[in-house]
Amino acid sequence: MNRVAEHAATTPTTYFEVGDVRYAYRELRPDNPVDRTPVLFLHRFRGTLDDWDPLFVDELAKTRHIVLFSDQEVGSSTGTAATSVDKKAQNAAAFARALGHSAIDVLGFSMGGFVCQAIALQEPKLVRKVVLIGTASGGNPESAPPTDIVFDIALHPQYSFEDVRYLFFAEGRDRETRAYIDRRGTRTSGQERVVKPEVISKMVTLIGDFMQGRTGHFERLKDLHQPVLIVAGDRDPFFPLKNMWVLYRELPNAQLSVFPQAGHGPHQQHPIEVAAQVEHFLAAP
């Protein structure tokens, strides 16, 4: 039986220096991964290593080498926070290469999905496959707007239960929301620092630039030729489902998986099912 030495709730945070920056990351892998190519996880707005759903990570780590990554000035990583999606992509690529990897798969949630698109475009020889969860393309006239209140809630200093439910889960999914919060709470030591207000402000700017089309990523999607899996909920308050269809249409080699009655974080509402889809996608030739 394939054994995982660590679990997301207990695996220690380790550090690796790239130039004068010390990056925080966590690694999980089974004794015999089905593929030696690591999956680099790139997180959402305000997300730290602690915010990944432990069950989702553990499910993928049964077969895959997983690397959870914190960009500069996020959590316990040092350096200076990026002010553009492209800079975040450059940081992630430099980190992966410094660890000794010549090929990676990338998985991004929300803002992390923006970074995945950028790194795949910048580094076609480094990035093998791309998984986009709860994300969308850069701005274009066809994009449907987010709900009126979602960004105000996302900026709350601390998230209440109802904030977490609204931001990441579908209406009425209180049981799944509580289960995620409880799973996240199983990590009791070595927790990361919350993202600082000045870093949050930079994230707001780079997200706005990307979503409003100022960075030109939408026009370049036709050049992103790696296989892409898009995972979406049909009740996403940030990125209505129409936006996922637009992203799917523009990518030359994409698949779209939609979870009904799911919100912005389908991998948190359905961690085992989404992990199974991701594994199936990564395993395909």
Side-chain angles (χ1 to χ4, degrees), residues 89-90 93-94 97 118-128 226:
Q90 292 162 14
R97 284 204 172 94
I119 192 174
L121 286 165
Q122 291 175 11
E123 300 279 358
K125 293 183 179 179
L126 176 66
V127 176
R128 187 185 69 161
Q226 297 96 320

Side-chain angles (χ1 to χ4, degrees), residues 169-244:
F169 296 81
E171 185 175 358
R173 299 292 181 171
D174 290 3
R175 180 175 60 84
E176 291 92 338
T177 304
R178 173 53 60 192
Y180 162 71
I181 292 172
D182 289 347
R183 290 193 298 270
R184 187 188 177 283
T186 56
R187 188 172 190 95
T188 57
S189 63
Q191 294 172 313
E192 289 287 277
R193 294 188 292 270
V194 299
V195 180
K196 296 180 291 188
E198 55 268 32
V199 178
I200 291 174
S201 179
K202 291 181 180 180
M203 289 181 177
V204 169
T205 299
L206 69 86
I207 289 171
D209 287 344
F210 183 89
M211 292 182 62
Q212 294 172 32
R214 290 193 286 267
T215 62
H217 287 91
F218 180 77
E219 292 77 13
R220 297 175 60 201
L221 287 175
K222 64 183 184 302
D223 300 321
L224 200 166
H225 294 285
Q226 297 96 320
V228 179
L229 172 65
I230 305 165
V231 182
D234 69 348
R235 298 291 188 271
D236 190 332
F238 287 97
F239 307 117
L241 188 57
K242 175 187 177 182
N243 299 356
M244 311 298 184

Side-chain angles (χ1 to χ4, degrees), residues 4-13 25-29 41 48-62 66 68 183-191:
V4 181
E6 292 283 355
H7 295 278
T10 57
T11 191
T13 302
Y25 69 105
R26 294 175 186 158
E27 284 190 281
L28 301 90
R29 72 185 95 190
F41 278 43
T48 72
L49 300 177
D50 297 332
D51 292 304
W52 288 108
D53 188 314
L55 181 54
F56 174 68
V57 174
D58 286 351
E59 282 294 309
L60 271 180
K62 290 178 179 178
I66 304 298
L68 310 180
R183 290 193 298 270
R184 187 188 177 283
T186 56
R187 188 172 190 95
T188 57
S189 63
Q191 294 172 313

Side-chain angles (χ1 to χ4, degrees), residues 17-86:
E17 292 190 1
V18 181
D20 58 355
V21 177
R22 188 188 74 162
Y23 287 106
Y25 69 105
R26 294 175 186 158
E27 284 190 281
L28 301 90
R29 72 185 95 190
D31 290 336
N32 298 297
V34 297
D35 191 313
R36 298 292 175 182
T37 305
V39 185
L40 185 67
F41 278 43
L42 303 172
H43 220 331
R44 61 168 171 84
F45 173 65
R46 295 180 63 174
T48 72
L49 300 177
D50 297 332
D51 292 304
W52 288 108
D53 188 314
L55 181 54
F56 174 68
V57 174
D58 286 351
E59 282 294 309
L60 271 180
K62 290 178 179 178
T63 53
R64 299 282 162 181
H65 175 190
I66 304 298
V67 181
L68 310 180
F69 170 70
S70 274
D71 195 13
Q72 293 188 29
E73 212 175 350
V74 174
S76 55
S77 288
T78 64
T80 302
T83 56
S84 71
V85 168
D86 280 332

